[in-house]
Coordinates of all heavy atoms in Angstrom, one line a residue:
G416 N 86.7 -45.4 -142.6 CA 86.3 -45.7 -143.9 C 84.8 -46.0 -144.0 O 84.2 -46.0 -145.1
D417 N 84.2 -46.4 -142.9 CA 82.8 -46.8 -142.9 C 81.9 -45.5 -142.7 O 82.1 -44.8 -141.7 CB 82.5 -47.8 -141.8 CG 83.2 -49.1 -142.0 OD1 83.6 -49.4 -143.1 OD2 83.5 -49.8 -141.0
R418 N 81.0 -45.3 -143.6 CA 80.2 -44.1 -143.5 C 78.7 -44.5 -143.3 O 78.2 -45.5 -143.8 CB 80.2 -43.3 -144.8 CG 81.6 -43.0 -145.3 CD 82.5 -42.2 -144.4 NE 82.0 -40.8 -144.5 CZ 82.6 -39.8 -143.8 NH1 83.6 -40.0 -143.0 NH2 82.1 -38.6 -143.9
V419 N 78.0 -43.8 -142.5 CA 76.6 -44.0 -142.2 C 75.8 -42.7 -142.4 O 76.4 -41.6 -142.3 CB 76.4 -44.6 -140.7 CG1 77.1 -45.9 -140.6 CG2 77.0 -43.6 -139.7
S420 N 74.5 -42.9 -142.7 CA 73.6 -41.7 -142.9 C 73.0 -41.4 -141.5 O 72.4 -42.2 -140.9 CB 72.6 -42.1 -143.9 OG 73.1 -42.2 -145.2
A421 N 73.2 -40.1 -141.1 CA 72.7 -39.7 -139.8 C 71.8 -38.4 -140.1 O 71.7 -37.9 -141.2 CB 73.8 -39.3 -138.9
I422 N 71.1 -38.0 -139.0 CA 70.3 -36.8 -139.1 C 71.0 -35.6 -138.5 O 71.5 -35.7 -137.4 CB 69.0 -37.0 -138.3 CG1 68.1 -38.1 -139.0 CG2 68.1 -35.7 -138.2 CD1 66.9 -38.5 -138.2
R423 N 71.1 -34.5 -139.3 CA 71.7 -33.3 -138.8 C 70.6 -32.2 -138.8 O 69.8 -32.1 -139.7 CB 72.8 -32.8 -139.7 CG 73.5 -31.6 -139.2 CD 74.8 -31.3 -140.0 NE 74.6 -31.1 -141.4 CZ 75.6 -31.1 -142.3 NH1 76.8 -31.2 -141.9 NH2 75.3 -30.9 -143.6
I424 N 70.5 -31.5 -137.7 CA 69.5 -30.4 -137.5 C 69.9 -29.2 -138.4 O 71.0 -28.8 -138.3 CB 69.4 -30.0 -136.1 CG1 68.9 -31.2 -135.2 CG2 68.4 -28.8 -135.9 CD1 67.6 -31.8 -135.6
S425 N 69.0 -28.8 -139.2 CA 69.3 -27.7 -140.2 C 68.7 -26.3 -139.7 O 69.1 -25.3 -140.3 CB 68.7 -28.0 -141.6 OG 67.3 -28.3 -141.5
Q426 N 67.8 -26.4 -138.8 CA 67.2 -25.1 -138.3 C 66.9 -25.3 -136.8 O 66.7 -26.4 -136.3 CB 66.0 -24.7 -139.0 CG 64.8 -25.6 -138.9 CD 63.6 -25.3 -139.8 OE1 63.8 -24.9 -141.0 NE2 62.4 -25.4 -139.3
Q427 N 66.9 -24.2 -136.0 CA 66.8 -24.3 -134.6 C 65.4 -24.9 -134.2 O 64.4 -24.5 -134.8 CB 66.9 -22.9 -134.0 CG 66.8 -22.9 -132.4 CD 67.1 -21.6 -131.8 OE1 68.2 -21.1 -132.1 NE2 66.2 -21.0 -131.0
V428 N 65.5 -25.8 -133.2 CA 64.2 -26.4 -132.7 C 64.3 -26.2 -131.1 O 65.3 -26.6 -130.5 CB 64.1 -27.9 -133.0 CG1 62.8 -28.4 -132.4 CG2 64.1 -28.1 -134.5
G429 N 63.3 -25.4 -130.6 CA 63.4 -25.1 -129.2 C 63.0 -26.3 -128.3 O 62.4 -27.3 -128.8
A430 N 63.5 -26.3 -127.1 CA 63.2 -27.4 -126.1 C 61.6 -27.5 -126.0 O 61.0 -26.5 -125.7 CB 63.8 -27.1 -124.8
G431 N 61.1 -28.7 -126.1 CA 59.7 -28.9 -126.0 C 59.0 -28.9 -127.3 O 57.8 -29.2 -127.4
Q432 N 59.6 -28.4 -128.4 CA 59.0 -28.3 -129.7 C 59.0 -29.7 -130.5 O 60.0 -30.4 -130.3 CB 59.6 -27.3 -130.6 CG 59.2 -25.8 -130.2 CD 59.7 -24.9 -131.3 OE1 60.9 -24.8 -131.5 NE2 58.8 -24.2 -131.9
A433 N 58.0 -29.9 -131.3 CA 58.1 -31.0 -132.2 C 59.2 -30.8 -133.2 O 59.5 -29.6 -133.6 CB 56.8 -31.2 -132.9
I434 N 59.8 -31.9 -133.7 CA 60.9 -31.7 -134.7 C 60.4 -32.0 -136.0 O 60.1 -33.1 -136.4 CB 62.0 -32.7 -134.3 CG1 62.5 -32.6 -132.9 CG2 63.2 -32.6 -135.3 CD1 63.5 -33.6 -132.4
P435 N 60.2 -31.0 -136.8 CA 59.6 -31.2 -138.2 C 60.6 -31.8 -139.1 O 61.8 -31.7 -139.0 CB 59.2 -29.7 -138.6 CG 60.2 -28.9 -137.9 CD 60.5 -29.5 -136.6
I436 N 60.1 -32.4 -140.2 CA 61.0 -32.9 -141.2 C 61.8 -31.9 -141.9 O 62.9 -32.1 -142.3 CB 60.1 -33.7 -142.3 CG1 61.1 -34.6 -143.1 CG2 59.3 -32.8 -143.1 CD1 61.7 -35.7 -142.4

Side-chain angles (χ1 to χ4, degrees):
D417 298 336
R418 313 293 288 183
V419 295
S420 293
I422 295 175
R423 182 169 62 189
I424 300 300
S425 58
Q426 64 187 42
Q427 179 173 308
V428 180
Q432 282 190 300
I434 305 175
I436 192 69

